[in-house]
Amino acid sequence: YKAHFFNWQWDDEELARIKMPIMDVSDTPFFARFGLIEIIDTTNSDGYVWLSYLFTSLGYVPTYNPPFGLRQGFVSNTKINNSLGGAEFFERRGKRRTYAFEINNISVDEALSNSYEIIDFCDIYTPMVFVFDPDDTIHRHRRTILARFQNLSDQSYAYFDAINTPYSIIEKIA
């Protein structure tokens, strides 16, 4: 018996599972009421392109990066049922990616005009895009997620004119 755990050949189903966002992070802020996307593909015999989810949002880049200790992981939505005999039955559902981190020692002005306003506006139901590193060309598709706040956290005054803001976000599935 020979196990083939790591053949590194992905079939079409596995490739469809991988989320590859097309992302454009602007270097300069801008205000726009409408956006235009032009896709020119003369080889497309179908005559259309399917965009599953289009999202445009405001952005906020904190003065300081999150310190060491940022946590990333998964939350499973799979339901487990047990029979009377103890056997487990799984109702498989998709999992979601999560991030938990804290932005420390930002000025009161930055904390109240950005962090506080975003938390106030978004609550836990409004979608946002979390971009871990806009310059990342290798793992961007793994670390950029359409998300929402998992819970609303309290800001704390670290010392005079400095605020710490914890964030806990979870991937939003459509």
Side-chain angles (χ1 to χ4, degrees):
Y1 176 72
K2 192 173 188 180
H4 297 283
F5 291 109
F6 301 103
N7 65 4
W8 300 107
Q9 294 177 359
W10 292 349
D11 60 22
D12 290 339
E13 183 179 325
E14 289 171 316
L15 283 174
R17 177 184 65 82
I18 299 172
K19 298 171 180 73
M20 296 284 193
I22 298 172
M23 179 181 65
D24 180 37
V25 178
S26 176
D27 292 335
T28 57
F30 62 91
F31 178 78
R33 182 172 287 181
F34 301 100
L36 173 67
I37 296 174
E38 284 188 284
I39 300 172
I40 300 169
D41 184 3
T42 57
T43 62
N44 184 353
S45 61
D46 292 333
Y48 66 91
V49 176
W50 178 262
L51 299 174
S52 62
Y53 201 99
L54 183 61
F55 188 82
T56 305
S57 72
L58 299 171
Y60 164 57
V61 179
T63 302
Y64 303 111
N65 289 330
F68 289 108
L70 178 142
R71 295 180 313 279
Q72 66 182 17
F74 294 94
V75 171
S76 177
N77 293 318
T78 296
K79 303 294 181 193
I80 301 172
N81 296 310
N82 295 326
S83 70
L84 293 175
E88 294 179 326
F89 299 95
F90 299 93
E91 185 180 327
R92 292 175 53 181
R93 297 181 182 183
K95 60 185 165 293
R96 297 174 182 215
R97 294 176 283 179
T98 63
Y99 283 94
F101 58 95
E102 191 167 311
I103 304 294
N104 293 330
N105 302 323
I106 55 177
S107 71
V108 171
D109 290 338
E110 180 180 351
L112 295 180
S113 62
N114 289 302
S115 300
Y116 183 85
E117 292 294 328
I118 291 169
I119 293 168
D120 182 39
F121 175 78
C122 288
D123 201 339
I124 62 168
Y125 54 84
T126 303
M128 70 182 98
V129 175
F130 175 74
V131 180
F132 185 88
D133 179 0
D135 298 324
D136 184 2
T137 58
I138 298 172
H139 299 292
R140 182 186 299 167
H141 67 284
R142 293 181 180 95
R143 300 193 300 187
T144 297
I145 61 173
L146 181 65
R148 65 172 178 78
F149 285 119
Q150 193 167 9
N151 55 46
L152 303 180
S153 303
D154 297 333
Q155 292 181 318
S156 63
Y157 285 80
Y159 52 86
F160 177 74
D161 198 36
I163 290 182
N164 298 342
T165 305
Y167 294 96
S168 178
I169 62 173
I170 187 166
E171 186 173 19
K172 183 172 174 34
I173 309 291

